[in-house]
Amino acid sequence: MRSNQETSEKSIGIFDSGVGGLTVVKEIMKVLPHESIIYFGDTARVPYGTKSKETITRFAIQDATFLMEKNVKAIVVACNSVSSNSLDNLKSSFDVPIIGVIKPGVDNACLKTINRKIGVIGTAATIESNAYKKRIRKICPDAIVYSKSCPLFVPLAEEGWIEKESTFLIVRDYLQELLDKDIDTLVLGCTHYPILKHVIQEVVGKGVFLVDSAFYTALALKELLEEMNLSRKSTMNVESLFYLSDIPRKFSDIGERFLGKKIKNISVVDVTQTKK
Ligand code: DGL
């Protein structure tokens, strides 16, 4: 894609299976405050993390097609389940730079680990794809990877059960087997997990470094935009538009918890009819 002044003024498209990707939007807004954003959350069809690769890819193509119709200059696949199952397919289907959350998370996990024992947690679709494991093997072949899907973390984050004793117990139940393997680094491979970061840190202890892929993806996006000369030049008229396929119950509370501020400019759209 040619980069010119007009292209760099366009928005960044970000999509996720639902509200979770707002944790990625939050980091992008911090790292790139002058970029405009168009977010699509497929709240009508969430979760993706329990679905097959074929279904996740079909949904992801529709989600990205919707963003392309909005004329975005780049796409961030905020969803780990999509990034791990469908990124290559998306990259070969669309003519804008597309980044996912796996590579930024892995690159930083490999930089942080000292004992080369890395834990990865995510949805079943993410863990079963082995995308994290494969990427870690490529970047730090001597590392040993211990993976675990933690499906209950998604509803806990959405319910806002962050300070509760029961959440602490559930988190410990899931993570004990990784701790028994002596991991020193843990990749939070799901959009929802940064919401539970404090309780996860409390359970794993200070000796385990938590890799928040949302933060590292924002840094990777900044680098990509600079490299491709796509960073927005103006600092005025920054716009954030939010599209959802459904307004879920309690959305304003959940959305605010994930984004860290109230969400304005929400529209409901049906992306199932989008044709690539
Ligand atoms: N956004 C998903 C992910 O990061 C979590 C929710 C879902 O299962 O769709 O994998």
Side-chain angles (χ1 to χ4, degrees), residues 128-144:
E128 284 166 28
S129 74
N130 278 323
Y132 272 105
K133 210 175 236 177
K134 284 182 204 152
R135 180 82 204 163
I136 293 172
R137 289 234 170 95
K138 204 167 161 189
I139 305 299
C140 42
D142 58 332
I144 308 175

Side-chain angles (χ1 to χ4, degrees), residues 154-166:
V154 168
L156 286 172
E158 292 201 3
E159 272 303 298
W161 280 31
I162 293 158
E163 304 286 335
K164 292 191 182 256
E165 179 64 17
S166 45

